Structures are given as structure tokens and as C-alpha cells.
């Protein structure tokens, strides 16, 4: 039948499209990572880099969803690994080896995919648990490890809360209607907004430790458990803290 050669040709053209778009998206995500690692995790440069990557990502997903099942799964798993490697402010989430492997397999789509290697790669990414962050914090924050805990100043704590917001917004495109994401929109996003406003002014060490405890408790409902955090006393202000009732009101999440 005449439609069969045409369908085969369209599928082959789609494979070329997915492979080429993946290569472009990877370059754009690497630029995001380069900017954040240069000490500029927020601001117009990184926002512009993310905005350039978004339409490429949307195009990639649209094309990938039309691939056969195994190829589609590989493409979507690679995209997840690439996001975990390049997108977030705090660094690689231990997915880099799988991202490179899946990306190399995607490049072979037009020429014939090794299905066994593809399935192994899909399984490896699907079963990969996010590791504690291994990279040093950007130069503008104070962050060191002490007895397994991450020592951060106020800006370092704020960066990690912003990073949660970025990560969940990225995931929201994929899993918008899940119960977890709906709950995050109702509870965690408002908590983040209130807390970032609260952290826009200098706070004492006690106040920052209170925020850090709340942050770990709140995020556990939506993301992996955060690594232990110790507040850098040298960079916290010294003096009379905000009255407790005002502090709790400033950062209280909406009632559940």
C-alpha cells in the first residue's frame, strides 16, 4: 500500500528531527549550567538562557511523543536526566553519566537504535535516585560541609529555596494535574513566596535556623529530603531577633 512507504519516511524524518532537537536543547541547557556555575544563578542572563531553552524543549517533547514506544521512552528519560544535570541552580543531581549515555543513543536514532542498550539506559534513569548535591555552591554564597551538614549563609539558604521553586515549575509542565503538584500550588508555592519576602531583609542566625527547619519539613511533602543545613554564624546578623509571633506570621504556610 502507498501509505506504508510514506509513513516509514515520516517516521524516519521524525527520528532525525528528535536527534537534532536533542542536540540543540543540550547545548542550550549547558549554557544555563555555565551561567549558574559562574556565580550568577539569578538574573537576566540565566532567565534569558532558560527562556531560549523552553521552546526547544517544547518542540522536542512534541516530536518525541510521536516516536515508537521504546524510542519515546528513551527521549523522555534523556530529557529528565538532562534537566537534573544542567537546569538547577545547585548543580548536577548525579544524573550526568546517564544523560551522556542517553544522549549518545538518541544521536543514533536515524541510523538504527540499539534497543537493548536503550532499555538498559531507560531503566537506569528511571531507577536513579537523586544524590545529595556534590558541587560547591556558587562563589557568592558561603557554603561548606561540616560533619555532613551544609553550612550556608542567608543568601545560600535563599538560593536553595528558589531552586525548589524552579525545579517544581519545570516538573509542572509534565505532571501538572497530579495530587502532589496541585498540593504544591496550594501550599508550597505560597510558602516559598512568603519566605523569600521574609529573607529579603537580614535575619539573625536563630531566625535562619527556624527557616531552614521549616524548609526541610515543607519540601519533604513534594521533593526529596534536603541535606542537613547549618547556618553560617559569621554572615548572620547579631542583635535582637524579630518577635516570634511576627516571624511565624511572616512565613506561615496557608492552613491545610
Amino acid at each position: 500500500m502507498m501509505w506504508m512507504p510514506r509513513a516509514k519516511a515520516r517516521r524516519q524524518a521524525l527520528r532525525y528531527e528528535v536527534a537534532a532537537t536533542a542536540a540543540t536543547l543540550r547545548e542550550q541547557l549547558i549554557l544555563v549550567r555555565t551561567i549558574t556555575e559562574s556565580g550568577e544563578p539569578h538574573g537576566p542572563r540565566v532567565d534569558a538562557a532558560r527562556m531560549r531553552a523552553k521552546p526547544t524543549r517544547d518542540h522536542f517533547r512534541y516530536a518525541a511523543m510521536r516516536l515508537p514506544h521504546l524510542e519515546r521512552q528513551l527521549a523522555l528519560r534523556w530529557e529528565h536526566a538532562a534537566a537534573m544535570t544542567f537546569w538547577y541552580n545547585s548543580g548536577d543531581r548525579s544524573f550526568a553519566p546517564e544523560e551522556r549515555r542517553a544522549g549518545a543513543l538518541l544521536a543514533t536514532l536515524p541510523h538504527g537504535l540499539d534497543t537493548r542498550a536503550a532499555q538498559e539506559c531507560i531503566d537506569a534513569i528511571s531507577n536513579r535516585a537523586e544524590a545529595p548535591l556534590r558541587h560547591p555552591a556558587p562563589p557568592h554564597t558561603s557554603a561548606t560541609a561540616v560533619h555532613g551538614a551544609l553550612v550556608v549563609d542567608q543568601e545560600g539558604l535563599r538560593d536553595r529555596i528558589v531552586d525548589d521553586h524552579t525545579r517544581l515549575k519545570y516538573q509542572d509542565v509534565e505532571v501538572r494535574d497530579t495530587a502532589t503538584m496541585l498540593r504544591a500550588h496550594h501550599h508550597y508555592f505560597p510558602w516559598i513566596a512568603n519566605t523569600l519576602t521574609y529573607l529579603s531583609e537580614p535575619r539573625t542566625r536563630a531566625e535562619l535556623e527556624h527557616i531552614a527547619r521549616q524548609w526541610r519539613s515543607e519540601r519533604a511533602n513534594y521533593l526529596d529530603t534536603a541535606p542537613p543545613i547549618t547556618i553560617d554564624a559569621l554572615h548572620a546578623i547579631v542583635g535582637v531577633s524579630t518577635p516570634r509571633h511576627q516571624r511565624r506570621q511572616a512565613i506561615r504556610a496557608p492552613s491545610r
Side-chain angles (χ1 to χ4, degrees), residues 157 204-214 229-231:
L157 177 59
T204 66
R205 181 178 182 179
E207 290 171 331
L208 296 178
E209 287 174 344
H210 177 72
I211 293 287
R213 287 193 297 271
Q214 275 210 340
I229 278 183
T230 298
I231 300 301

Side-chain angles (χ1 to χ4, degrees), residues 36 46 62 69 75 86 90-91 103 118 124-125 128 136 156 162 171 178 185 196 220 224 232 235 243 247-248 251:
T36 57
V46 71
Y62 176 75
H69 178 75
F86 300 120
S90 304
I125 295 173
R128 166 67 67 178
V162 170
Q171 292 179 356
T178 66
H185 276 283
L196 294 180
D224 58 293
D232 182 1
H235 291 84
R247 181 173 74 239
R248 294 183 64 184
I251 59 175

Side-chain angles (χ1 to χ4, degrees), residues 34-56:
T34 300
I35 295 173
T36 57
E37 287 185 340
S38 71
E40 192 179 343
H42 316 293
R45 285 187 67 218
V46 71
D47 289 345
R50 285 195 167 111
M51 289 301 294
R52 281 194 297 272
K54 187 179 185 304
T56 308

Side-chain angles (χ1 to χ4, degrees), residues 75-97:
L76 296 179
R77 289 298 87 197
W78 167 79
E79 183 212 15
H80 173 70
M84 299 299 282
T85 303
F86 300 120
W87 187 262
Y88 300 113
N89 294 339
S90 304
D92 172 30
R93 305 300 179 87
S94 82
F95 282 76

